[in-house]
Amino acid sequence: MTTAAPRALIELDHVSKFYGNIKALQDVSLEVHAGEISCVLGDNGAGKSTLIKIIAGLHRHDEGRFLVDGEETALVNPREALDRGIATVYQDLAVVPLMPVWRNFFLGSEPTTGVGPFKRLDVRMMRETTRSELLRMGIDLRDVDQPIGTLSGGERQCVAIARAVYFGAKVLVLDEPTAALGVKQSGVVLKYVAAARDAGLGVVLITHNPHHAYLVGDRFVLLKRGAMSGSHTKDSITLDELTRQMAGGSELEELSHELERAPSPTHLGGHPVTDDTP
């Protein structure tokens, strides 16, 4: 007796999005499962940003189906997405650089203590929770009171991931988290992306780097000019093939032929050209 496949946390089924006559996204399908990382790859203008906005509740899709926990839906705003367990971490992190790490961790969701005129921010709880939650994800910060702007780009990404896990996200969408980072910092961020997966979240990793995607990904969707150019599981594609498809495949081969060095003019007609050649 075969067991049914687990239901996807979110699923995009042949989803399209139009801006007037412009087809920003056309017939794109994506599944995100608990404990898995689904990677969306594509160059600039491929449709990755539009896909993020649909999942995050910023824009509604025009065609196809968007399912959350098996229920067809159309998110009306980012707050509804958060309420449904979908957290999005954008490349340009929404942090206040001069505020301490713990304040940014709870930004917009600050707990209070006391009642009436004696109500105040529960600073002690926020400090302790921030420190313990970061440690739980394997992030050992020297001081959660330091301004978050003093952290490296990779460390800020990791704080954002830990924050999403703490506030109960079931799906974590990461927008190019390693785009502006060096090799070492990228490795740090990918380690915490894997930690979020191991914590049971379904992760959507948006990237243009096939090497980073293949290190952690379970599923791969390739976008090109708003349409899907490929959909694979990790056991069905190699890194070399994923890179080739990401780079354009046959288009890249055609370009390489065009860029091949032309025959030397000194050997026209198969004979060396000399000053005496008529």
Side-chain angles (χ1 to χ4, degrees), residues 97-130:
L98 296 180
M99 280 187 177
V101 174
W102 62 264
R103 187 67 190 270
N104 275 277
F105 192 92
F106 282 91
L107 195 62
S109 302
E110 294 87 348
T112 57
T113 185
V115 294
F118 302 103
K119 182 181 289 187
R120 63 190 185 280
L121 293 179
D122 194 342
V123 175
R124 179 179 177 182
M125 178 270 185
M126 286 190 279
R127 281 198 181 106
E128 292 177 352
T129 301
T130 300

Side-chain angles (χ1 to χ4, degrees), residues 6-199:
R7 188 170 64 190
L9 294 174
I10 64 171
E11 180 180 357
L12 277 69
D13 181 23
H14 299 285
V15 162
S16 299
K17 176 65 182 177
F18 308 105
Y19 298 103
N21 294 326
I22 299 173
K23 297 177 180 179
L25 213 62
Q26 187 170 17
D27 207 27
V28 172
S29 296
L30 171 71
E31 288 187 7
V32 182
H33 292 263
E36 288 188 0
I37 298 175
S38 297
C39 300
V40 179
L41 299 103
D43 284 327
N44 293 336
K48 304 190 302 295
S49 295
T50 302
L51 184 68
I52 291 173
K53 290 172 183 176
I54 291 173
I55 297 174
L58 283 166
H59 291 175
R60 297 182 65 166
H61 58 288
D62 296 314
E63 293 180 354
R65 299 190 306 153
F66 180 20
L67 297 94
V68 179
D69 289 327
E71 177 187 347
E72 187 170 350
T73 186
L75 301 175
V76 297
N77 54 52
R79 173 51 62 183
E80 184 182 357
L82 284 171
D83 291 342
R84 300 291 294 268
I86 303 170
T88 303
V89 178
Y90 294 97
Q91 185 178 341
D92 51 342
L93 296 173
V95 298
V96 183
L98 296 180
M99 280 187 177
V101 174
W102 62 264
R103 187 67 190 270
N104 275 277
F105 192 92
F106 282 91
L107 195 62
S109 302
E110 294 87 348
T112 57
T113 185
V115 294
F118 302 103
K119 182 181 289 187
R120 63 190 185 280
L121 293 179
D122 194 342
V123 175
R124 179 179 177 182
M125 178 270 185
M126 286 190 279
R127 281 198 181 106
E128 292 177 352
T129 301
T130 300
R131 185 176 291 108
S132 63
E133 287 300 312
L134 292 178
L135 278 173
R136 192 164 71 89
M137 290 287 291
I139 307 168
D140 187 10
L141 283 185
R142 297 176 297 277
D143 181 12
V144 295
D145 282 300
Q146 69 187 101
I148 198 168
T150 63
L151 302 183
S152 68
E155 288 173 326
R156 289 197 297 271
Q157 288 280 354
C158 297
V159 171
I161 293 170
R163 182 184 191 277
V165 173
Y166 172 74
F167 281 102
K170 293 185 292 183
V171 176
L172 179 63
V173 184
L174 300 169
D175 173 25
E176 299 274 10
T178 61
L181 304 179
V183 174
K184 185 175 181 180
Q185 286 291 319
S186 294
V188 170
V189 171
L190 291 175
K191 183 174 75 171
Y192 295 122
V193 171
R197 172 200 64 199
D198 295 342

